[in-house]
Amino acid sequence: MGKAVAPRGCRSDLDARYHRLCDVGVAWGVALEACAAAGAAAAACAALWLAGAAGRVQDPSRRRALPTLLLLLAALLAQFALTFAFLLPLDGATGPARLVGFSAAAGTGFAALLALAVHAARLARGRPALPGLGLLALALGLGLVQDALAVEYVVLAMNRTRADVFAAMPAPRRNEDFVLLLLFAMALLAATLAAAALALRGPFPAWRRLGARAGLTALLAAALWASWIALLLRPEPGPQWDDAVLGAALVANGWLFLAAFVLPEFLQLTKQRDPRDYPAEDAPCQPRLLTPRLGLHNPAFTSEEAQTGPPAPGASPHAPYSTHFQLQDRAPAQEFSIPRAQAWPSSPYTDYDGRKGGR
């Protein structure tokens, strides 16, 4: 068997497995490589900028989210790098790498987005933020669940036979298993939408905007995933078309996260802390919404109309609008008067004319 002729753009001594990486006649491969390389460079530059700008972040709540945001950038970088595995032919080496790599990158990215949405929901509703390590542990834990599912599937599939199981498996069956394995990642998207909806109901605008960005990113990612899954489950195009669909899905998902979430969040990181984005310091001392209590609800205050009649003989009366002291009837007190001077009805000098009597 003669040696395969190198296509235009490739060296003559290059292995035939790598011809698709340099074949300029395969337009979709060249475009996919360019987009993936540009996305990987953008994600790497963003991660370096984030590491350098961490000291300039003044808001402590945003500073706590930096490790999780850095994890998201690492997942996006892995997605762009994994695109090149879908340009190589499917064999015993690229098959497990595609399956495990796609699951790990997608699961970690969606888990980091969910953790940031939960962070926004707590702050938007006036609750204290989770610690930075707590957010990172939440994202890593959820991402590791998807990784464990992928690794377990690969181990079980390769133990059933020593042959090249992924290349020998029919394309419809392989695609169905691929989609079923990513159901947990889709569940993470749904949970992100729920957390974003909770954030939108909070009273603090900055964290509502963060939740809205997370929800919009999850919504667009769900639409993108529905599109490539619908294309992948169609058996007509063929295995090479399947590679193009999966590679394009990785690149599109990475750029979507960069444009819809990472870049707007970077613009907010170095802004000064706004007191309006947090509850007032004396908020725990402020009166809460209380149910108004009328006099009828309090047993100490009873309406006079509720009394059916006069108290029984010998019973002590009860004052309804006073303390619980009992009032008793007392005998009427005797009347006392103080004599006051009164004027005579007529003056004794009325008939006096200045003479003695008899003269």
Side-chain angles (χ1 to χ4, degrees):
M1 182 179 294
K3 187 177 181 180
V5 179
R8 187 168 57 93
C10 300
R11 299 197 312 264
S12 58
D13 58 344
L14 185 65
D15 191 348
R17 296 176 55 192
Y18 305 103
H19 282 173
R20 192 182 290 178
L21 296 177
C22 56
D23 187 2
V24 295
V26 183
W28 69 267
V30 176
L32 205 60
E33 286 181 59
C35 293
C45 292
L48 292 176
W49 183 89
L50 183 62
R56 299 199 304 268
V57 179
Q58 302 181 17
D59 195 332
S61 298
R62 296 189 184 278
R63 194 180 303 116
R64 293 176 181 177
L66 293 183
T68 307
L69 190 58
L70 189 61
L71 178 66
L72 176 60
L73 289 173
L76 297 181
L77 182 59
Q79 291 182 26
F80 288 122
L82 187 64
T83 307
F84 296 92
F86 289 91
L87 297 175
L88 301 177
L90 181 64
D91 53 22
T94 58
R98 290 182 181 187
L99 194 64
V100 177
F102 197 107
S103 300
T108 304
F110 292 161
L113 184 64
L114 174 58
L116 293 172
V118 171
H119 180 66
R122 291 182 62 87
L123 291 171
R125 298 170 69 85
R127 298 180 181 179
L130 293 175
L133 292 179
L135 277 179
L136 183 61
L138 175 63
L140 285 175
L142 294 175
L144 287 176
V145 173
Q146 181 64 50
D147 300 345
L149 293 175
V151 171
E152 183 180 4
Y153 173 80
V154 170
V155 171
L156 293 178
M158 296 185 69
N159 283 339
R160 287 184 297 200
T161 177
R162 294 184 179 181
D164 190 358
V165 60
F166 295 104
M169 186 182 298
R173 168 67 184 281
R174 184 174 61 247
N175 294 339
E176 290 176 1
D177 290 353
F178 194 90
V179 172
L180 290 175
L181 194 60
L182 294 170
L183 288 179
F184 183 76
M186 302 176 198
L188 293 178
L189 276 181
T192 303
L193 289 173
L198 290 177
L200 291 177
R201 299 178 59 183
F204 301 104
W207 308 116
R208 284 205 312 265
R209 289 192 294 268
L210 177 60
R213 288 194 297 271
L216 178 62
T217 305
L219 188 61
L220 294 176
L224 175 64
W225 275 52
S227 301
W228 72 256
I229 287 174
L231 292 174
L232 189 66
L233 295 181
R234 296 181 59 185
E236 291 84 1
Q240 293 183 354
W241 178 252
D242 295 347
D243 298 342
V245 167
L246 292 173
L250 281 171
V251 173
N253 189 80
W255 276 109
L256 171 64
F257 270 67
L258 285 177
F261 188 81
V262 175
L263 180 59
E265 182 61 19
F266 275 17
L267 297 177
Q268 303 292 329
L269 282 178
T270 56
K271 288 188 175 181
Q272 190 175 4
R273 182 181 184 273
D274 192 349
R276 294 174 299 178
D277 296 334
Y278 295 92
E281 295 182 357
D282 58 346
C285 302
Q286 296 294 332
R288 304 294 181 181
L289 293 177
L290 302 177
T291 303
R293 298 183 63 86
L294 302 177
L296 295 177
H297 294 285
N298 195 328
F301 300 94
T302 56
S303 176
E304 295 181 358
E305 290 79 2
Q307 298 180 0
T308 57
S316 300
H318 175 71
Y321 297 103
S322 64
T323 58
H324 296 282
F325 293 104
Q326 302 297 328
L327 303 181
Q328 297 180 358
D329 292 335
R330 302 181 63 181
Q334 297 181 359
E335 295 183 0
F336 296 92
S337 60
I338 300 176
R340 302 175 63 182
Q342 297 180 359
W344 294 96
S346 59
S347 173
Y349 300 98
T350 302
D351 299 331
Y352 179 71
D353 54 359
R355 295 192 304 260
K356 293 183 179 181
R359 291 186 183 180

